[in-house]
Amino acid sequence: MTSSRQPDILISEVGPRDGLQSVKATMATADKCRWIDALVAAGLREIEVASFVPAHLLPQMADAADVVRHALQHRGVTVMALVPNLRGAQAALRAGAQKLTMPVSASAAHSLANVRKTPDAMVEEVRAVLRLRDDIAPGVRVEAGVSTAFGCTLQGHVPEDDVVRLAVQLAEAGADEVGLSDTTGMGNPAQTRRLFSRLFSSIGARTGAAHLHNTRGLGLANALAAYEAGVRTFDSSLGGLGGCPYAPGASGNVVTEDLVFMFEAMGLSTGVDLNRLMAARAPLQAGLPGEPLYGMTPEAGLPKGWRVGAAP
Ligand code: ZN
């Protein structure tokens, strides 16, 4: 996409990582690559393409290095990878990932179940990854995503003070960006606005992305609340890929198509072409036959006279 100005909103597509690791089937590497090509063609400029975790834990991500190397052929796109620890970061940097994201859970129960480490131990892991980055890949940005920031299925309520304290620790450790993730889709708009406002007043420009799930149908409402609090980077996944197996009919991540529609309809530019974005569902479906996709905009189509970036 060539544009005379920077888009107002950065959409960070997480489908190839968050979406694919939540579905049972494993997408073939060639299909993943075709899908990523279509996402790039739609104008997405940041794509989380893989997760560097042991293949026996997540066979869907066994080809992470190959997928990163393929995505790197596209210029103007930030190729992002999730890494849970130093070992994952070593592999991701070796493959050439341009930005890393590390999940750090605000819920001790979730953190222990997920990575068998306390939140404090995870802050140390982030520090270790930052040192590695400084040594071998100083141009790579490292984001820490505070997961279960809005509630946890194991712990239940997650105190906002715990979330903010952890975010400050991560910023002080040197993370370039600290985002908040509604891992379990428990957040609401008032909470989202309050938490991100507190984040901006605590860590300022290091405030990172809003990673929201649509589990209870509040994904877009929460995204708007985050926008109003000052957030300009949003994670989402094409077709809302990654529906929760325990909540039939509930989609996983916020649907990229609907999120782009909302912002563009509000007169905010995303740099994404909605028609091409919806066309990117075809390679996704070809690679994962039978997997349900979500989203209202693809079903309804674009309104008559739709013009991308139409100012109000
Ligand atoms: Zn997620």
Side-chain angles (χ1 to χ4, degrees):
M1 292 280 108
T2 46
S3 172
S4 52
R5 63 179 182 119
Q6 277 291 100
D8 302 312
I9 304 284
L10 176 63
I11 305 284
S12 185
E13 169 68 36
V14 300
R17 196 280 301 170
D18 201 337
L20 288 184
Q21 79 174 37
S22 319
V23 300
K24 260 213 189 96
T26 297
M27 199 192 245
T29 309
D31 290 324
K32 288 186 187 181
C33 295
R34 265 191 290 275
W35 180 28
I36 289 166
D37 294 347
L39 293 168
V40 172
L44 287 157
R45 288 160 297 127
E46 184 170 291
I47 306 179
E48 203 171 305
V49 299
S51 173
F52 282 81
V53 290
H56 69 272
L57 293 179
L58 269 182
Q60 299 96 317
M61 295 290 136
D63 58 1
D66 291 333
V67 175
V68 165
R69 279 192 285 264
H70 174 84
L72 286 171
Q73 296 171 12
H74 295 289
R75 295 199 170 271
V77 177
T78 303
V79 177
M80 200 167 168
L82 183 142
V83 299
N85 51 34
L86 183 62
R87 181 182 290 225
Q90 283 161 340
L93 293 175
R94 208 179 303 127
Q98 294 162 321
K99 185 172 173 183
L100 304 182
T101 182
M102 290 189 76
V104 182
S105 194
S107 148
H110 180 265
S111 192
L112 289 168
N114 210 27
V115 288
R116 284 190 237 124
K117 285 196 177 85
T118 62
D120 282 342
M122 273 306 289
V123 174
E124 283 313 306
E125 198 73 24
V126 171
R127 266 187 234 279
V129 168
L130 287 163
R131 278 193 298 269
L132 174 73
R133 185 274 313 266
D134 293 345
D135 282 350
I136 67 168
V140 168
R141 287 179 77 77
V142 176
E143 173 199 72
V146 178
S147 50
T148 61
F150 298 82
C152 170
T153 41
L154 299 170
Q155 178 180 310
H157 176 68
V158 175
E160 291 181 6
D161 287 350
D162 290 0
V163 176
V164 175
R165 196 183 315 119
L166 182 57
V168 169
Q169 274 181 287
L170 290 163
E172 285 174 354
D176 299 302
E177 299 168 30
V178 183
L180 299 180
S181 301
D182 187 8
T183 316
T184 55
M186 291 164 80
N188 66 68
Q191 180 188 22
T192 306
R193 187 178 290 110
R194 206 165 49 234
L195 260 177
F196 272 107
S197 299
R198 287 188 63 180
L199 213 57
F200 275 109
S201 39
S202 305
I203 62 168
R206 287 188 193 243
T207 301
H211 178 103
L212 304 166
H213 280 229
N214 200 35
T215 318
R216 290 175 176 79
L218 295 184
L220 282 187
N222 292 342
L224 184 58
Y227 172 79
E228 286 171 353
V231 174
R232 294 297 177 264
T233 304
F234 293 84
D235 292 1
S236 61
S237 107
L238 193 82
L241 190 68
C244 174
Y246 306 108
S251 72
N253 288 285
V254 169
V255 176
T256 305
E257 299 90 314
D258 292 341
L259 189 65
V260 168
F261 177 76
M262 178 179 83
F263 284 129
E264 293 283 343
M266 289 169 66
L268 297 163
S269 60
T270 61
V272 178
D273 179 315
L274 258 174
N275 283 305
R276 287 187 180 189
L277 185 65
M278 292 194 280
R281 289 164 79 103
L284 165 57
Q285 276 177 318
L288 278 183
E291 191 65 37
L293 298 186
Y294 305 93
M296 312 299 274
T297 307
E299 267 179 49
L302 293 174
K304 191 174 179 188
W306 173 262
R307 184 167 67 82
V308 173

